[in-house]
């Protein structure tokens, strides 16, 4: 990691919020205008016997959603509710949840994702005995059972992103190693190392997560998961994909405008490229690409005719 990244990301106090009783797994969920799927998502977590604590970070819900959240918090002693900070962004909210959590293991889960039987157990098992730091991503599925785009990804760089967006990495066999997305590759039979996994559902030991500085709060929405995986590998740790841990992720349920979501995605990607640039020409390339990346990101929902529809997004 370069010096600028290290100076911006300081480890949390890993002794913060030390548990009075031993808790195995804390699920951390950030909620912001998720929509009606929230009820089922909460129910799936609370039905999982491997969940010892459920930390809900309310980033500013509608009155209807607030009622759903309140009902979950009052109906199960495992629920801890953090509220009142308004929308501080996904990364900062996850960090707040991690600091408040008591579990040895953190499972970060999107509010439009449904835990499947054995998912949490498989994530915990995958972490056992692995070197620190280690992050394990679940197999994120579409409602039809196919693997979702972004569940397992290669190295995210300006070059790989360009080759993936243009489709060259899929059409030219010699360039397949530069492909970012691998959801169409054969599903591995056992957990494997991957450069990048999805932030829709991942697990880390709490000590690892806090020790590495949590999510970088310079990312407001999107790409913080790509950055986390990169920093874990920079620190000598592992990023693993666990095919036995399944979660169904709906996506496109948010009431937030797709234009806003895609803008944050473009800004996040440009920030990530600047952050990981380790020499002069890569920094120059990242700066040149920044306005292009943001423009392309914002243009996508406009071209799809979704710019002013209140739906879309993979994080909220």
């Amino acid at each position: 990691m370069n010096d600028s990244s290290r100076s911006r990301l300081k480890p949390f106090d890993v002794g913060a919020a030390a548990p009075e009783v031993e808790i195995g797994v804390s699920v951390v969920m950030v909620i912001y205008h998720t929509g009606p799927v929230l009820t089922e998502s909460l129910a799936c977590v609370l039905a999982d016997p491997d969940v010892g604590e459920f930390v809900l970070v309310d980033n500013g819900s509608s009155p209807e959603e607030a009622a759903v959240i309140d009902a979950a918090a009052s109906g199960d002693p495992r629920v801890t509710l953090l509220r009142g900070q308004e929308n501080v962004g996904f990364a900062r909210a996850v960090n707040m949840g991690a600091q408040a959590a008591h579990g040895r293991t953190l499972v970060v889960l999107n509010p439009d994702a449904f835990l499947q039987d054995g998912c949490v157990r498989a994530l915990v098992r995958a972490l056992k005995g692995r070197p620190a730091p280690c992050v394990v991503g679940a197999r994120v599925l579409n409602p039809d059972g196919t693997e979702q785009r972004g569940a397992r990804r290669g190295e995210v760089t300006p070059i790989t992103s360009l080759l993936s967006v243009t489709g060259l990495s899929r059409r030219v066999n010699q360039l397949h190693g530069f492909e970012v997305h691998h959801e169409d590759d054969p599903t591995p039979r056992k957990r494997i190392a991957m450069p990048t996994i999805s932030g829709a559902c991942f697990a880390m030991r709490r000590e690892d997560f806090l020790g590495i500085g949590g999510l970088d709060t310079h990312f407001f929405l999107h790409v913080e998961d790509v950055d986390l995986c990169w920093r874990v590998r920079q620190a000598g740790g592992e990023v693993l994909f666990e095919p036995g841990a399944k979660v169904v992720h709906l996506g496109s349920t948010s009431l937030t405008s797709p234009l806003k979501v895609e803008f944050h995605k473009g800004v996040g990607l440009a920030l990530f490229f600047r952050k990981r640039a380790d020499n002069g020409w890569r920094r120059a390339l990242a700066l040149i690409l920044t306005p292009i990346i943001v423009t392309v990101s914002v243009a996508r929902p406009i071209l799809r005719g979704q710019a002013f529809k209140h739906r879309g997004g993979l994080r909220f």
Side-chain angles (χ1 to χ4, degrees):
M1 187 183 299
N2 58 39
D3 291 338
S4 61
S5 298
R6 187 178 294 113
S7 63
R8 295 190 320 205
L9 290 168
K10 297 179 180 179
F12 295 119
D13 177 5
V14 295
E20 296 178 1
V21 294
E22 191 76 6
I23 294 177
V25 177
S26 295
V27 173
V28 176
M29 179 182 289
V30 178
I31 301 170
Y32 179 75
H33 294 291
T34 302
V37 300
L38 178 62
T39 300
E40 185 175 353
S41 178
L42 297 179
C44 288
V45 175
L46 294 174
D48 194 316
D50 294 306
V51 175
E53 181 181 44
F54 191 10
V55 181
L56 296 174
V57 186
D58 184 355
N59 256 6
S61 296
S62 66
E64 293 78 14
E65 286 180 325
V68 172
I69 296 169
D70 290 342
S74 62
D76 196 306
R78 293 175 295 170
V79 177
T80 296
L81 175 58
L82 304 182
R83 177 181 281 163
Q85 72 280 350
E86 298 184 347
N87 187 6
V88 296
F90 180 77
R92 190 178 299 278
V94 168
N95 291 350
M96 290 171 56
Q99 287 184 305
H102 298 85
R104 296 187 304 275
T105 301
L106 300 175
V107 173
V108 178
L109 180 69
N110 269 21
D112 55 357
F114 305 146
L115 287 177
Q116 302 299 289
D117 289 344
C119 179
V120 170
R121 187 170 302 175
L123 291 172
V124 173
R125 187 185 303 121
L127 281 170
K128 188 175 181 179
R130 309 309 301 184
C134 180
V135 57
V136 180
R139 186 181 177 202
V140 184
L141 303 174
N142 294 306
D144 63 2
T146 59
E147 188 172 309
Q148 193 165 97
R149 186 176 178 85
R152 44 185 167 134
R153 288 171 279 185
E155 193 78 52
V156 180
T157 70
I159 298 300
T160 61
S161 298
L162 177 62
L163 292 175
S164 293
V165 167
T166 58
L168 288 173
S169 55
R170 292 184 294 278
R171 291 194 294 268
V172 180
N173 288 336
Q174 293 86 342
L175 296 178
H176 184 68
F178 293 93
E179 173 60 37
V180 171
H181 299 283
H182 292 271
E183 68 276 1
D184 293 328
D185 291 353
T187 303
R189 295 184 178 181
K190 59 182 180 180
R191 73 183 67 102
I192 60 171
M194 291 294 297
T196 317
I197 50 82
S198 173
C201 181
F202 70 90
M204 288 187 75
R205 289 179 288 259
R206 180 174 181 268
E207 184 177 10
D208 286 1
F209 184 82
L210 299 183
I212 204 170
L215 298 179
D216 186 344
T217 57
H218 290 82
F219 296 91
F220 186 83
L221 178 64
H222 287 295
V223 193
E224 67 288 314
D225 51 353
V226 178
D227 175 75
L228 175 68
C229 293
W230 175 66
R231 286 191 287 118
V232 164
R233 291 186 287 114
Q234 289 290 102
E238 290 183 324
V239 178
L240 301 175
F241 173 75
E242 174 51 72
K246 298 178 183 179
V247 59
V248 174
H249 181 218
L250 298 187
S252 299
T253 64
S254 174
L255 303 180
T256 303
S257 165
L259 198 62
K260 183 178 180 180
V261 171
E262 292 294 337
F263 171 77
H264 283 299
K265 187 184 297 184
V267 169
L269 196 58
L271 170 62
F272 177 66
F273 290 155
R274 294 197 305 271
K275 179 178 177 179
R276 65 170 291 166
D278 55 4
N279 58 42
W281 80 266
R282 287 177 177 168
R283 284 190 287 272
L285 177 62
L287 288 173
I288 293 171
L289 288 176
T290 292
I292 299 174
I293 293 169
V294 176
T295 300
V296 170
S297 296
V298 172
R300 284 189 295 186
I302 295 176
L303 294 175
R304 293 195 299 259
Q306 296 178 334
F308 304 104
K309 295 179 181 179
H310 292 291
R311 62 184 300 275
L314 293 178
R315 181 64 70 235
F316 291 118

